[in-house]
Amino acid sequence: KKKFPGDALTVDERMQLLTAQKNVEVELKSNQLEQESRNGTLVLYGSVVQLLHMYSKKYISISTTQISKTENHNMQMRLISHDSEHCLFKVLPRYKVRSVGDEVHMEDQVTFASEETEGQYIHTSSKTYYQVGIALHAQCHEINAAASESGYTVKPHYLPAADEQRESDLKAGSIIRLFHREIECYLVAEGSFANDKEKVVVEKVHLRKRKSDHGRLKAPSTSAITYWQIEKDAEPLSGQTVSWGERCRIKHLPTRLYLAVVKNETDGGFQVILKERDLFSQKANSDIAFRFFPVIEDNTGMEFATYARINHPHTKTWLAARKGVEYSRQAFDPNAPGLASLQWDSAELFQIGIQEQMSYDDAFIIEEVDEALIMKFNYVAGMVPILKAYIQEIETTTNKVINIRKANLVEKALNELSDFMRYAHPRMKDHQKLLRNLMILETIMRILQNFDPKAQDANNQRIVGKACYRVMEVYLFGESRKNEIYLARFIPFFETHVGLDLNAEEMLTEIVRDNSLIVSKYGEDQIDNIVKQLLKGRDSRFFDQLGVLCVCNDLPLPEKQNKIIETLVKKHGKELFYLTEIGRSDQVPNGDRNTIYFHDPNDPPGKWHPLHDIAAKDKPKDSKHYQYLVAQLDLFGKLCKGNNVKAVETIDKDFNYLTFEEALIGARDDKLHPAVRSKYVELIVVLYVDIGDNRPMLDNLSLSFVYSKVVEDPYELAAANPNKSLTGSVNLHFPALRDWIKTHVEKHQSVTGSRSMIDSNNFNTEVLDLLYLLVKYGYYADLTDINALMPPLISLLNGMNDKPFPKASDEQSVQFRKEGRYEDTHENRAIFNLKVKAMRVMDLFFNFRFYLRLQHFIYDYKLLKGDVDPTQKVQVEEAQPETYDDNDDDETTIKHRRGLSRLTHQVAGVGRQMTHRLAIFGLGDGQRPPPPQELQELQKNSRNLKIHSNEWLMDLAAERLKTVFSYSAYYFENTTDARGISFPAIMIDLSKYHNDEVLHEALHLLNRFYSAEETLFEKGIQTQLLITESSEKVFNELSFTHLPVLRHLAEVNVNEVQCQQLLNILETLTTMCHLEGDPDEPHAQNQKILYNTGVFTDVLNLVFRDKP
């Protein structure tokens, strides 16, 4: 079982680990400062140095346990990622013309003596690897440690001259990009020196578009296909400054070929290509020589970030963009069958050419490539020789057996490549891109193509094959669609490795996951093939493959869901799925009523096992039974997602694979592993909550109300009936869910940040997700239920209750609360998600409070008008707020009416008791009287009202507001948590977390907390009271017919029938926006109804939603 650092440690061990990590950081910083202080000093004979390999950024070290591969009397040298005493060597002169203390000069011959192992020198083997029977690196000599010394000549790579050069000067050996500013394109080519000689160049030299962002240039490209190295024609290794007009060569790093202008044999013209340099004939290299000329003449020399034109002296021409002439990819066929037709790169490409006359437009910016990017490129490029040597051995050697040592060597290199990407957060995409730029992935494919499961050395080949698939799996980490589509063309090849124990199954799952372009290419035949593989091996990974075909980017795919229901669940479910039952049922009559039991189809009939046997918290998660169960539950959830009636009926009723009682027991059984409990909560959501006629209410509040249906307590019936939501939907399971959720959140009022608690934190997030849906659908209508949830939710949000690990001491907890809880770490990310979900639940409660207050204000306005009987047809006067004629152009009148709207809302207020309401107006007999005299006068003289002329009225409004807001206040508005911290203080603390979602939600709630009153009156002005039958008809048609369907279709990937249904709804909504029979004349009231009910927001979300 793989363990994370810090798991299964005692408290003392954890403290020792934290202390050791701090000491390491201090030591590394000290070493870095020491290196920086000595940088640029002269090296003297007798100095102790370390030798750093530039491509891998590792140190040369003497192994103390391994002997040389070519000379068994010597010790092996190796590269290690950290410095140690075995990396220290003394520089000594090879000959006596130099002595200790003298300066080391270029071209000197030196030796390196180990500081740690006396009498050992860096030594070059006399024989090649091939001569001792090693095909890997066949023509190379080995560097080892020996008693006899070898001499090495010091050659310059870059010789700085402080008096002559500046940091900004372009030097021989510099890595640059060439950016055509006029058309915003980089000069690029695609290919790799990893390929065979005739296939090094895949895409010829061309220009690749990189658009600016609103006139501002984007950050420089990190793609290696843009990297070019400048070499002086005469002194390529000198490291000296390149001057304007000086002949130089431009080398493409990924292909290691040179930019050239050659004659086109087809039409006799010239073309820009990549070609090899001729090492024996300088004359033959005339076509790869270029000169740079400045756009603006100056004497400052050739610098980075300057504009230059590029001249080819041999043909006396200039590099020029062929504006408007697109470059067509040679390695891509859009008409290819299946997945090969997927285009992984959508950038605009243009051709590059030459012209005799220098053009003002064809200027290139010389961009310097950052040293960190060069280091990353060199690291990946350094892996190429290892992989090429292995390919050469397996492809060219007849009957050659790959021994375990060779397999382990290549596996180690591939694992390092995986780690190079895995631990690159947040720049993982840059690392992954290098595998594409250097065509490492194609190289890996060649290794896998040679895998022979029947070979004598199949097990050793399998070691390398698994490492290859691990590299590709890490390559798919993150959210890069380009990476997924790039690998998708190899899916048919990957499918040939299914069942060969190479982990191709995980690879196939990750490629397809959340990519609609790839999912759309999966037909019924491929689904049938996956089911056949599942029948053969009962491997949980096939459940995962089917699951990613059901849901894409959280959008259900109904056609794929239904196909899997028919092909798998109905036909083969009984022989493939674990059957589960609760104790004391017909199947398990003697079991525990609160325990789930499972039956393996391979077991004899009637044999049932407690689920704790495979899924308890203390059981290993890597057991096949556990993984199979989790994958099965996960597949059930994905099949039912999106209110798929067919799937719900099949799983819950037709085949009785799961019942509500069983799912609830699984969710609340704290002996089960949290990951299993999470799956049961997800199943409760898709099978018993997010179904039927349940429709969201509190996330899309309507500000239009049917005036005749406004009542004193709009949610009294829903609050009295625990099974009924605010929308009128009924869910008989809500009381059980409400009670369990309340108990659960009361029990988990703090969170723990260790890796071992990630699954528990994720489970708590799933519980809050269930709570969120129940609140959104309007089942929490009783203020008692809401107020009962507030204290534990606020405590959960309070970071001062969090702990670093379960048994942390007070001192450790204080330190974590001071610093550790804010950091964006893998452990804390699960906590961030939990707190975000809790804040979103709070946000819905804010909505409910707002809606409650608003509707009570509306009812009191109705009371003020004398229309308290909800069955009575109301005749509203012309001066009534928000019901006036839209064509009235008297601005003063409109202003006064709106002022009256605000004022009467304030005056009318809301109260729970009619006697209290009437007492405010000086009436206490309990009968419904006419409005008070003062308000009658206000109604009669509304057109000439001076709003702020009556201080008594304003005082009355202020008193009423206190009553209104105290009635619908929540726990967090009136008190603090157990630590005495207020709700605003907790939100301010959450805004300090290093996570964008937490920050956004915390500031959003803080704003809502302090602007609740202002928002109420602002929205009150926007509120619309519908008094005509036509308006009421439009509102009801929207609320109960069109909006539920529209919002459902927005949450699934629609098929052709559903697409037409969606178009019909949009067409109907369009007709509502104009007068009947006159498309050019807007219908203002209907437009406002559509706006107030959230239609426009829903349509915009539909248009701009992420592609699945």
Side-chain angles (χ1 to χ4, degrees):
K1 179 183 178 181
K2 180 178 178 181
K3 291 183 178 292
F4 293 101
D7 279 355
L9 297 178
T10 64
V11 173
D12 290 339
E13 288 172 335
R14 288 180 181 275
M15 287 303 296
Q16 292 174 13
L17 177 62
L18 293 173
T19 303
Q21 289 173 340
K22 289 184 179 180
N23 292 338
V24 167
E25 291 174 3
V26 172
E27 179 68 17
L28 290 175
K29 188 174 183 179
S30 175
N31 291 344
Q32 183 181 357
L33 292 174
E34 177 67 17
Q35 292 284 358
E36 292 174 356
S37 67
R38 301 193 63 180
N39 188 31
T41 59
L42 292 173
V43 179
L44 307 177
Y45 285 107
S47 300
V48 178
V49 299
Q50 296 168 307
L51 299 175
L52 182 70
H53 183 242
M54 289 301 295
Y55 270 58
S56 64
K57 293 298 179 183
K58 293 186 176 183
Y59 296 97
I60 294 177
S61 172
I62 296 178
S63 173
T64 58
T65 58
Q66 300 291 326
I67 63 172
S68 167
K69 295 180 179 179
T70 59
E71 298 168 333
N72 56 18
H73 54 281
N74 294 337
M75 296 304 292
Q76 190 179 121
M77 300 288 291
R78 59 177 183 165
L79 293 174
I80 61 175
S81 57
H82 58 281
D83 53 354
S84 72
E85 59 273 11
H86 296 290
C87 301
L88 303 177
F89 298 94
K90 184 180 290 185
V91 184
L92 298 174
R94 170 75 167 159
Y95 302 109
K96 293 184 178 180
V97 293
R98 305 284 188 192
S99 60
V100 173
D102 291 345
E103 295 178 2
V104 179
H105 294 271
M106 294 301 171
E107 304 298 333
D108 278 5
Q109 288 204 18
V110 301
T111 63
F112 297 95
S114 173
E115 271 287 284
E116 179 67 17
T117 308
E118 187 177 355
Q120 292 289 309
Y121 297 84
I122 296 181
H123 173 263
T124 302
S125 66
S126 57
K127 295 182 179 181
T128 65
Y129 281 108
Y130 180 78
Q131 290 173 318
V132 295
I134 300 176
L136 213 56
H137 316 304
Q139 303 305 317
C140 298
H141 295 262
E142 182 189 23
I143 300 295
N144 53 40
S148 58
E149 58 192 30
S150 293
Y152 300 93
T153 303
V154 179
K155 292 283 186 180
H157 173 64
Y158 164 51
L159 180 61
D163 295 336
E164 301 175 6
Q165 297 182 0
R166 296 165 301 177
E167 198 67 31
S168 60
D169 286 339
L170 184 69
K171 308 169 188 69
S174 294
I175 312 298
I176 65 170
R177 307 180 194 88
L178 294 171
F179 184 71
H180 195 291
R181 183 65 183 88
E182 180 67 21
I183 61 172
E184 299 180 333
C185 290
Y186 280 104
L187 184 68
V188 301
E190 294 180 24
S192 172
F193 71 97
N195 297 343
D196 292 336
K197 189 172 182 180
E198 65 278 5
K199 299 179 181 179
V200 170
V201 179
V202 176
E203 298 293 346
K204 295 178 181 179
V205 184
H206 57 278
L207 294 166
R208 178 185 175 87
K209 187 81 170 180
R210 187 173 179 83
K211 293 181 180 179
S212 61
D213 185 10
H214 302 292
R216 296 176 297 176
L217 287 178
K218 291 184 178 180
S221 171
T222 58
S223 177
I225 62 175
T226 66
Y227 296 174
W228 302 86
Q229 187 173 37
I230 300 298
E231 292 183 2
K232 276 195 172 188
D233 193 26
E235 301 173 291
L237 298 178
S238 66
Q240 295 301 305
T241 301
V242 179
S243 303
W244 292 114
E246 186 175 6
R247 289 170 66 97
C248 58
R249 294 185 290 271
I250 306 174
K251 182 180 181 180
H252 187 241
L253 283 192
T255 59
R256 298 189 175 177
L257 299 178
Y258 292 85
L259 190 68
V261 177
V262 299
K263 200 165 188 177
N264 190 337
E265 297 179 358
T266 304
D267 57 13
F270 291 98
Q271 61 178 339
V272 182
I273 65 167
L274 293 177
K275 64 170 289 187
E276 282 189 281
R277 177 189 173 195
D278 193 322
L279 299 177
F280 303 102
S281 172
Q282 186 64 20
K283 184 178 180 180
N285 291 327
S286 59
D287 52 6
I288 64 173
F290 291 86
R291 294 186 298 175
F292 289 85
F293 289 93
V295 172
I296 302 175
E297 294 290 342
D298 58 26
N299 298 319
T300 59
M302 195 170 174
E303 297 182 81
F304 294 112
T306 57
Y307 287 80
R309 299 187 180 92
I310 304 174
N311 171 254
H312 188 253
H314 182 64
T315 58
K316 299 180 181 180
T317 56
W318 301 81
L319 281 188
R322 301 185 64 184
K323 300 179 180 66
V325 182
E326 294 185 356
Y327 174 86
S328 299
R329 286 187 170 275
Q330 298 174 319
F332 170 69
D333 181 7
N335 299 317
L339 295 164
S341 63
L342 292 176
Q343 185 172 355
W344 61 271
D345 184 22
S346 59
E348 294 182 74
L349 308 178
F350 300 98
Q351 294 184 18
I352 183 75
I354 58 169
Q355 59 186 24
E356 293 182 0
Q357 298 296 323
M358 180 179 66
S359 172
Y360 177 82
D361 294 341
D362 288 307
F364 292 85
I365 301 176
I366 303 173
E367 294 181 355
E368 182 181 15
V369 179
D370 187 75
E371 179 65 29
L373 295 176
I374 298 172
M375 182 191 76
K376 295 171 183 177
F377 174 84
N378 288 341
Y379 184 92
V380 177
M383 293 291 180
V384 170
I386 300 174
L387 303 180
K388 288 187 69 174
Y390 180 77
I391 291 172
Q392 183 180 3
E393 182 168 0
I394 60 179
E395 288 185 346
T396 62
T397 307
T398 306
N399 298 326
K400 185 69 176 180
V401 176
I402 303 299
N403 60 41
I404 188 66
R405 287 180 60 190
K406 296 173 186 175
N408 287 339
L409 173 64
V410 179
E411 180 196 27
K412 183 178 179 181
L414 291 168
N415 287 343
E416 285 195 19
L417 197 56
S418 297
D419 293 340
F420 171 75
M421 294 183 288
R422 190 192 309 271
Y423 301 117
H425 183 77
R427 303 301 303 174
M428 181 184 290
K429 190 179 293 187
D430 291 345
H431 291 216
Q432 294 168 333
K433 191 185 301 181
L434 287 169
L435 270 67
R436 193 169 63 243
N437 297 154
L438 281 162
M439 304 191 75
I440 298 291
L441 298 168
E442 284 78 1
T443 305
I444 286 175
M445 295 303 161
R446 288 182 62 182
I447 293 176
L448 291 171
Q449 284 171 355
N450 288 278
F451 173 71
D452 183 2
K454 298 180 181 179
Q456 178 183 349
D457 58 351
N459 289 335
N460 295 336
Q461 290 188 41
R462 186 173 283 107
I463 292 173
V464 177
K466 284 186 174 181
C468 288
Y469 274 107
R470 276 195 296 273
V471 170
M472 290 187 287
E473 187 177 352
V474 180
Y475 172 76
L476 293 173
F477 281 7
E479 302 297 330
S480 175
R481 292 178 180 274
K482 186 179 292 186
N483 290 350
E484 295 165 355
I485 297 174
Y486 189 82
L487 275 183
R489 54 201 169 125
F490 300 111
I491 284 179
F493 171 67
F494 296 147
E495 289 175 340
T496 64
H497 286 161
V498 170
L500 298 183
D501 194 24
L502 289 174
N503 297 332
E505 294 83 0
E506 287 96 331
M507 183 76 254
L508 289 166
T509 301
E510 292 307 316
I511 292 177
V512 177
R513 190 186 303 279
D514 291 336
N515 195 310
S516 61
L517 288 176
I518 301 174
V519 172
S520 65
K521 296 290 183 179
Y522 261 74
E524 295 186 359
D525 292 342
Q526 279 131 323
I527 294 177
D528 291 337
N529 185 53
I530 296 173
V531 173
K532 288 178 183 177
Q533 294 289 345
L534 187 56
L535 289 169
K536 286 181 183 178
R538 291 215 322 162
D539 191 327
S540 63
R541 293 174 295 185
F542 296 118
F543 282 152
D544 296 334
Q545 276 187 259
L546 294 171
V548 297
L549 296 176
C550 295
V551 179
C552 187
N553 273 343
D554 208 35
L555 290 179
L557 308 175
E559 289 186 347
K560 295 288 193 298
Q561 289 174 325
N562 294 336
K563 169 63 179 176
I564 295 170
I565 285 290
E566 292 294 336
T567 307
L568 173 66
V569 181
K570 290 186 175 181
K571 287 186 179 179
H572 304 290
K574 295 295 184 181
E575 57 186 297
L576 285 175
F577 294 138
Y578 286 164
L579 304 180
T580 53
E581 293 282 351
I582 57 176
R584 297 189 182 178
S585 62
D586 294 339
Q587 302 292 339
V588 194
N590 298 322
D592 183 358
R593 183 67 181 171
N594 293 315
T595 301
I596 299 176
Y597 296 81
F598 77 97
H599 170 72
D600 188 333
N602 289 338
D603 288 344
K607 188 173 184 180
W608 294 79
H609 310 271
L611 202 60
H612 297 151
D613 289 354
I614 61 171
K617 287 190 290 189
D618 56 350
K619 298 292 182 180
K621 289 178 63 178
D622 57 358
S623 73
K624 289 185 177 180
H625 289 293
Y626 172 86
Q627 293 176 350
Y628 198 82
L629 171 70
V630 172
Q632 174 182 314
L633 295 176
D634 184 66
L635 179 61
F636 283 169
K638 289 178 177 176
L639 288 171
C640 298
K641 189 176 178 64
N643 199 358
N644 188 314
V645 177
K646 184 175 185 178
V648 172
E649 293 288 334
T650 300
I651 292 173
D652 180 41
K653 297 177 181 177
D654 296 347
F655 288 83
N656 198 32
Y657 287 123
L658 194 70
T659 63
F660 172 77
E661 187 177 6
E662 180 187 329
L664 184 58
I665 289 174
R668 68 188 183 195
D669 187 350
D670 55 10
K671 293 180 181 179
L672 289 176
H673 194 281
V676 177
R677 298 176 69 189
S678 294
K679 295 303 174 187
Y680 277 115
V681 174
E682 291 176 15
L683 287 169
I684 290 174
V685 169
V686 297
L687 283 168
Y688 307 107
V689 175
D690 193 15
I691 59 168
D693 59 350
N694 284 323
R695 53 189 175 90
M697 175 187 171
L698 290 181
D699 61 337
N700 289 288
L701 297 179
S702 172
L703 296 179
S704 294
F705 298 90
V706 177
Y707 189 72
S708 62
K709 295 183 179 179
V710 174
V711 295
E712 179 183 5
D713 191 340
Y715 305 132
E716 183 177 10
L717 294 178
N721 184 354
N723 299 324
K724 194 172 184 179
S725 75
L726 301 177
T727 64
S729 301
V730 174
N731 191 323
L732 299 178
H733 304 303
F734 173 69
L737 292 173
R738 176 199 59 201
D739 295 343
W740 171 65
I741 291 174
K742 177 177 177 295
T743 303
H744 181 83
V745 295
E746 287 176 346
K747 188 177 178 181
H748 298 85
Q749 298 188 32
S750 64
V751 289
T752 304
S754 67
R755 285 181 180 259
S756 60
M757 296 297 291
I758 289 178
D759 286 332
S760 295
N761 291 332
N762 289 338
F763 167 64
N764 290 331
T765 303
E766 292 294 337
V767 175
L768 291 186
D769 189 51
L770 171 61
L771 172 61
Y772 177 86
L773 284 174
L774 291 171
V775 175
K776 183 173 76 170
Y777 289 148
Y779 283 99
Y780 277 85
D782 192 337
L783 288 180
T784 304
D785 293 335
I786 297 176
N787 281 320
L789 289 173
M790 286 301 168
L793 285 177
I794 292 175
S795 180
L796 182 68
L797 289 172
N798 187 359
M800 295 304 293
N801 295 326
D802 300 347
K803 297 182 293 184
F805 36 86
K807 296 182 180 180
S809 66
D810 291 341
E811 180 184 354
Q812 293 163 346
S813 297
V814 168
Q815 183 64 27
F816 176 74
R817 292 162 186 165
K818 185 178 179 181
E819 298 177 353
R821 65 189 174 102
Y822 298 111
E823 300 301 323
D824 184 14
T825 64
H826 180 64
E827 300 91 333
N828 284 352
R829 234 161 277 147
I831 297 177
F832 295 162
N833 294 336
L834 178 60
K835 291 183 184 290
V836 166
K837 185 58 69 174
M839 285 189 282
R840 287 177 180 168
V841 172
M842 290 280 194
D843 192 40
L844 291 182
F845 286 148
F846 269 106
N847 285 348
F848 179 66
R849 181 187 65 177
F850 161 77
Y851 218 39
L852 187 65
R853 290 173 174 176
L854 178 62
Q855 292 193 69
H856 277 115
F857 274 137
I858 294 172
Y859 175 77
D860 284 329
Y861 176 76
K862 187 175 180 178
L863 174 67
L864 179 66
K865 297 295 297 179
D867 299 320
V868 296
D869 185 359
T871 63
Q872 180 182 351
K873 190 63 179 178
V874 181
Q875 300 294 330
V876 184
E877 297 181 18
E878 183 182 1
Q880 184 168 321
E882 295 300 89
T883 59
Y884 52 83
D885 184 2
D886 290 279
N887 296 318
D888 190 343
D889 57 357
D890 186 347
E891 295 184 2
T892 303
T893 301
I894 295 174
K895 180 179 178 181
H896 284 173
R897 286 170 180 161
R898 289 179 175 173
L900 178 60
S901 172
R902 292 191 294 271
L903 185 59
T904 50
H905 275 227
Q906 295 175 28
V907 172
V910 60
R912 292 295 292 165
Q913 302 295 330
M914 179 65 75
T915 55
H916 180 64
R917 187 188 317 277
L918 299 178
I920 292 175
F921 301 122
L923 303 167
D925 58 4
Q927 303 297 320
R928 185 170 75 85
Q933 183 65 33
E934 292 87 348
L935 296 182
Q936 289 182 351
E937 292 299 321
L938 287 178
Q939 291 172 338
K940 292 178 181 178
N941 301 292
S942 60
R943 291 184 180 271
N944 300 313
L945 175 67
K946 294 182 179 180
I947 293 177
H948 296 291
S949 62
N950 195 326
E951 294 183 4
W952 168 80
L953 195 55
M954 300 305 296
D955 292 339
L956 179 62
E959 289 298 321
R960 288 299 300 133
L961 286 177
K962 292 180 182 179
T963 305
V964 168
F965 286 98
S966 63
Y967 161 68
S968 54
Y970 290 159
Y971 173 89
F972 59 74
E973 292 186 286
N974 301 318
T975 186
T976 59
D977 77 338
R979 293 176 176 268
I981 303 176
S982 66
F983 179 79
I986 293 173
M987 293 300 105
I988 293 172
D989 178 68
L990 287 171
S991 69
K992 301 175 184 177
Y993 281 60
H994 301 169
N995 180 272
D996 290 343
E997 283 192 287
V998 176
L999 172 64
H1000 175 270
E1001 294 295 335
L1003 293 180
H1004 173 66
L1005 287 186
L1006 194 64
N1007 177 62
R1008 295 204 67 177
F1009 181 84
Y1010 282 112
S1011 63
E1013 293 82 358
E1014 181 182 359
T1015 300
L1016 177 64
F1017 291 114
E1018 286 179 350
K1019 296 294 184 182
I1021 296 172
Q1022 183 184 334
T1023 299
Q1024 185 182 35
L1025 304 180
L1026 308 177
I1027 61 174
T1028 65
E1029 292 183 1
S1030 59
S1031 295
E1032 182 176 346
K1033 180 181 177 182
V1034 169
F1035 175 78
N1036 290 334
E1037 188 177 345
L1038 270 176
S1039 302
F1040 301 104
T1041 304
H1042 299 312
L1043 275 182
V1045 178
L1046 177 65
R1047 288 168 180 168
H1048 169 69
L1049 294 179
E1051 295 177 354
V1052 301
N1053 193 37
V1054 296
N1055 55 31
E1056 290 186 8
V1057 175
Q1058 292 170 322
C1059 184
Q1060 186 59 50
Q1061 185 181 11
L1062 188 58
L1063 290 174
N1064 293 339
I1065 293 175
L1066 295 175
E1067 181 65 29
T1068 302
L1069 297 180
T1070 303
T1071 59
M1072 290 180 177
C1073 292
H1074 59 77
L1075 294 180
E1076 187 175 354
D1078 190 354
D1080 297 326
E1081 188 66 29
H1083 195 304
Q1085 288 297 329
N1086 283 3
Q1087 288 175 337
K1088 188 166 185 179
I1089 293 174
L1090 265 65
Y1091 182 80
N1092 278 352
T1093 51
V1095 170
F1096 295 130
T1097 302
D1098 292 327
V1099 172
L1100 288 175
N1101 290 338
L1102 183 66
V1103 172
F1104 294 110
R1105 78 179 185 186
D1106 291 336
K1107 293 181 180 180

